[in-house]
């Protein structure tokens, strides 16, 4: 007998729960796969971002500043093929001996190197409450580079004589690898530095011998061995401007000065 809605009360009702388990297991399986995928993705992202997230909170007890900025009378060794591309500004109101001003950073970026003599100022101080012990300052990561055959040396100034003054450390390119040596006999390591007690070292990069025995077209860095406890560590610093690398010119490299708007082999000013 059919009811008003057309169903037969004597027939067993159609159960809808039979299909539900299949649908529920499909949803659960999908959720498990999605959870596993998101978990793996999260772990991968955390591994990639962890160094970035941690770095702002890491504090080294020692802070070092290397002033390798350009001076008023720099010289650079570079391939002659780059001469026409060097940015040069004639100088009329600088030092009496200054003829021009070069873009040293461009020269270094394009394969040139600053030559001797120059001074690097090294400032060391603590960054927290700890006292830091400086055990040594060394020339490290020495890398000689084969120069091109047409190397020239360009000068911003005429030759200037006179002493460079007393300094803390000086480069010695007599050996390979070269070395940084204490130039002031009154100085001796170790040194102690703190946040309010910095120490400044002037490093003179100059040729110390005669002839071409020390000629070098080379890159190097400064290594500072320090400790704020029992364990010693080494901090490598490279400078931020034209670098601490050096070209000690060979006698075969010709000198050039920028005179009257062009390159000249003679530093003659009319």
């Amino acid at each position: 007998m059919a009811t008003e809605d057309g169903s037969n009360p004597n027939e067993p009702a159609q159960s809808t729960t039979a299909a539900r388990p299949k649908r529920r297991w499909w949803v659960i399986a999908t959720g498990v796969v999605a959870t596993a995928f998101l978990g793996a993705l999260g772990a991968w992202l955390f591994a990639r971002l962890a160094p970035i997230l941690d770095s702002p909170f890491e504090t080294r007890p020692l802070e070092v500043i290397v002033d390798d900025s350009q001076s008023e009378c720099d010289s650079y060794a570079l391939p002659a093929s780059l001469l026409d591309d060097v940015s040069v500004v004639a100088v009329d109101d600088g030092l009496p001996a200054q003829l021009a001003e070069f873009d040293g950073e461009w020269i270094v970026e394009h394969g040139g190197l600053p030559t001797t003599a120059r001074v690097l100022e090294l400032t060391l101080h603590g960054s927290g409450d700890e006292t830091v012990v400086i055990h040594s300052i060394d020339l490290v990561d020495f890398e000689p580079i084969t120069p091109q055959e047409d190397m020239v040396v360009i000068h911003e100034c005429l030759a200037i004589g006179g002493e460079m003054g007393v300094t803390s450390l000086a480069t010695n390119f007599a050996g390979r690898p070269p070395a940084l040596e204490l130039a002031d006999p009154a100085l001796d390591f170790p040194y102690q530095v703190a946040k309010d007690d910095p120490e400044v070292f002037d490093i003179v990069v100059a040729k110390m011998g005669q002839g071409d025995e020390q000629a070098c077209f080379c890159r190097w860095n400064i290594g500072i061995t320090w400790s704020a406890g029992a364990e010693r560590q080494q901090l490598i610093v490279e400078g931020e401007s034209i670098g601490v690398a050096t070209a000690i010119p060979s006698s075969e490299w010709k000198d050039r000065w920028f005179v009257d708007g062009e390159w000249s082999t003679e530093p003659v000013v009319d």
Side-chain angles (χ1 to χ4, degrees), residues 139-144 170-181 206-210 212-220 246 248:
L139 189 153
V140 298
D141 300 336
F142 176 71
E143 178 189 2
T171 55
N172 185 349
F173 282 84
R176 292 293 185 271
L180 277 178
E181 300 176 346
K207 187 174 181 179
M208 301 178 67
Q210 302 296 323
D212 287 347
E213 73 278 3
Q214 295 187 53
C216 189
F217 194 69
C218 42
R219 297 186 182 277
W220 50 278
T246 304
I248 299 181

Side-chain angles (χ1 to χ4, degrees), residues 10 12 16 25 39-40 82 88 90 113 120 124 144 155 168 175 182 194 255 268:
N10 295 323
T16 60
W25 283 112
L82 287 177
V88 186
L113 289 177
L120 307 171
L124 295 77
H155 304 275
S168 305
L182 285 171
D255 295 306
V268 178

